[in-house]
Amino acid sequence: GLGPSDASPDEGVVEDLPLIDEKAVEQLTEGLISHYLPDLQRSKSALQELTQNQVVLLETLEQEISKFKDCNSILEINALFSEAKHYHNKLVNIRNEMMMLHEKTSKLKVSGINI
């Protein structure tokens, strides 16, 4: 265990420090702040400007993305209209064939009755 001779190395350090001059500390603090504050303020304003530019850039990118989405939607709509036109033509052809078949069967019935 620790005996009386095994004192902590930190013991008595506080008492050994000279008295601190509060005014000197205040002046040193003010000097330090006045030295670094302008650079920090410039950095802060540069960061704010950068952040604002990023916000503008993000908004612009979002607008461009929505334009691409709109273009994509228009392409999809055009494809749907082309497909609808294609199927409409198929339906018209089927209708014409059905009418032709109907005419032929009508003629066959008439000629079959006359026989």
Side-chain angles (χ1 to χ4, degrees), residues 19-58:
L19 289 176
I20 298 171
D21 183 2
E22 293 291 329
K23 187 165 185 163
V25 170
E26 192 177 317
Q27 287 175 340
L28 286 170
T29 304
E30 285 175 9
L32 194 64
I33 288 174
S34 68
H35 180 73
Y36 286 109
L37 193 60
D39 286 339
L40 288 172
Q41 286 173 332
R42 278 193 295 275
S43 297
K44 180 182 178 183
S45 67
L47 284 172
Q48 285 174 334
E49 185 179 344
L50 187 63
T51 303
Q52 289 171 346
N53 289 342
Q54 284 179 333
V55 167
V56 170
L57 184 62
L58 282 172

Side-chain angles (χ1 to χ4, degrees), residues 5-113:
S5 62
D6 297 330
S8 168
D10 294 335
E11 194 173 302
V13 170
V14 175
E15 291 83 14
D16 294 343
L17 287 176
L19 289 176
I20 298 171
D21 183 2
E22 293 291 329
K23 187 165 185 163
V25 170
E26 192 177 317
Q27 287 175 340
L28 286 170
T29 304
E30 285 175 9
L32 194 64
I33 288 174
S34 68
H35 180 73
Y36 286 109
L37 193 60
D39 286 339
L40 288 172
Q41 286 173 332
R42 278 193 295 275
S43 297
K44 180 182 178 183
S45 67
L47 284 172
Q48 285 174 334
E49 185 179 344
L50 187 63
T51 303
Q52 289 171 346
N53 289 342
Q54 284 179 333
V55 167
V56 170
L57 184 62
L58 282 172
E59 288 173 355
T60 306
L61 279 173
E62 285 174 2
Q63 290 171 359
E64 292 300 315
I65 288 170
S66 71
K67 285 180 189 175
F68 278 118
K69 285 181 180 174
D70 290 345
C71 287
N72 203 21
S73 297
I74 290 170
L75 289 174
E76 288 173 4
I77 289 170
N78 286 340
L80 279 175
F81 276 118
S82 295
E83 200 174 349
K85 188 176 180 181
H86 172 73
Y87 285 115
H88 174 74
N89 288 338
K90 276 188 164 187
L91 284 173
V92 167
N93 289 338
I94 291 171
R95 193 188 92 208
N96 290 341
E97 286 180 28
M98 301 257 317
M99 287 174 62
M100 193 172 62
L101 286 172
H102 177 70
E103 285 177 27
K104 284 183 179 179
T105 54
S106 295
K107 285 179 184 176
L108 283 174
K109 283 181 184 178
V110 168
S111 61
I113 293 173

